């Protein structure tokens, strides 16, 4: 393979020099290879600019690409779709790569990184576990222990979201890392073990990262003044996990804008990127159906349940690639 493509794969996978410059190629050449490199670097840096135009132009040149160039191009575009929250398009491109069976260890590593990110949107723990364990073996091969730890943390959080208490407890038995403790407490909340949650939360009073959990506990206990006080502290909090992002939005809609029903309807009605996370859909639909039931809107309950089931089926079908 051309050395520049080896350098590009190393750069994208954090295997090589993070400060490498591709300008000698992208500024002196005007062919599809230089455009692939330019597109890949910009997407990695989050500079989308004219990405759609570049992608369209490169599609016209795909017949002249070597198989490895096609694989790199498809993975770049899949990453672009993932970053712009178009998960189904990203999954469709990964399916093409799997069917073509491109034989290259670094392509396979990159493919599995993208598969893992998409897998976290589904609620099939066996599928996610399969991808996770394959990815961990590859990270060990390349001595990517930092990435291995990062993905392990994401996997642990995912286990909290799927509410598999036995599986989650066994996974966390090895240490007491604060991030793991946070995930454990979220799992207690999701399993509605509120008395145990209250007792376990006490050592974390005053620690910002646990404010959302305190707000959720008081909300479930109908202690609205206390819940609102914690919700007011969440303004500057940004959550990378979809479950926590959902709950922050829900609590703010409930206590601040007083429009929690509109927020929930938007989640299950595909008006938010959180729509692609099956755990979020299930939780949002439960809250929304409870709201409709309390309002005696039983026909709307039926519509909401049908919509939720259809969306969950679409997510499983489109994101379970293997």
């Amino acid at each position: 393979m051309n050395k520049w493509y080896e350098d590009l794969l190393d750069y994208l996978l954090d295997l090589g020099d993070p400060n490498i410059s591709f300008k000698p190629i992208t500024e002196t050449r005007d062919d599809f290879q230089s455009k692939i490199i330019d597109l890949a670097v910009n997407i990695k840096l989050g500079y989308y600019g004219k990405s759609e135009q570049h992608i369209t132009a490169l599609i016209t040149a795909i017949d002249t690409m070597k198989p490895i160039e096609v694989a790199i191009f498809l993975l770049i575009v899949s990453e672009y779709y993932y970053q712009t929250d178009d998960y189904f398009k990203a999954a469709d491109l990964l399916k093409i790569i799997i069917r073509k069976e491109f034989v290259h260890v670094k392509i396979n590593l990159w493919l599995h990184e993208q598969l893992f990110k998409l897998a976290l949107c589904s609620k099939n723990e066996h599928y996610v576990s399969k991808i996770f364990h394959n990815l961990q073996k590859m990270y060990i091969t390349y001595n990517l222990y930092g990435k291995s730890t990062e993905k392990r943390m994401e996997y642990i959080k995912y286990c909290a979201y799927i509410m598999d208490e036995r599986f989650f407890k066994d996974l966390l038995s090895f240490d007491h890392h604060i991030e793991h403790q946070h995930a454990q407490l979220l799992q207690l909340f999701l399993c509605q073990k509120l008395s145990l949650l209250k007792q376990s939360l006490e050592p974390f009073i005053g620690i910002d990262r646990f404010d959302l959990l305190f707000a959720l506990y008081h909300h479930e206990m109908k202690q609205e003044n206390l819940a609102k006080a914690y919700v007011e502290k969440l303004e500057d909090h940004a959550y990378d996990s979809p479950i926590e992002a959902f709950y922050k939005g829900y609590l703010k809609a409930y206590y601040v804008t007083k429009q929690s029903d509109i927020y929930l309807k938007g989640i299950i009605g595909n008006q938010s990127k959180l729509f692609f996370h099956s755990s979020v859909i299930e939780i949002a639909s439960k809250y929304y159906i409870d709201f409709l039931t309390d309002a005696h809107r039983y026909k709307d309950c039926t519509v909401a349940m049908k919509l939720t089931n259809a969306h969950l089926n679409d997510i499983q079908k489109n994101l379970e690639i293997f």
Side-chain angles (χ1 to χ4, degrees), residues 2 14 32 42 91 118-119 144 178 185 206 212 246 254 264 268 295:
N2 186 298
D14 301 315
F32 74 80
N42 285 330
L118 285 172
L144 293 170
I178 192 167
L185 296 183
L212 178 62
F246 161 76
Y254 189 93
L264 295 169
I268 67 173

Side-chain angles (χ1 to χ4, degrees), residues 3 21 39 44 86 112 151 160 177 187 194 196 244 277:
K3 181 182 183 300
S21 174
L39 179 66
K44 180 178 175 64
D86 202 337
H112 273 75
K151 290 298 184 289
H177 191 286
Q187 216 263 347
L194 298 179
L196 184 55
E244 291 169 298
H277 294 269

Side-chain angles (χ1 to χ4, degrees), residues 136 139-151:
Q136 290 297 304
Y139 284 151
I140 292 172
T141 300
Y142 286 102
N143 297 318
L144 293 170
Y145 295 107
K147 274 194 169 184
S148 174
T149 301
E150 175 187 314
K151 290 298 184 289

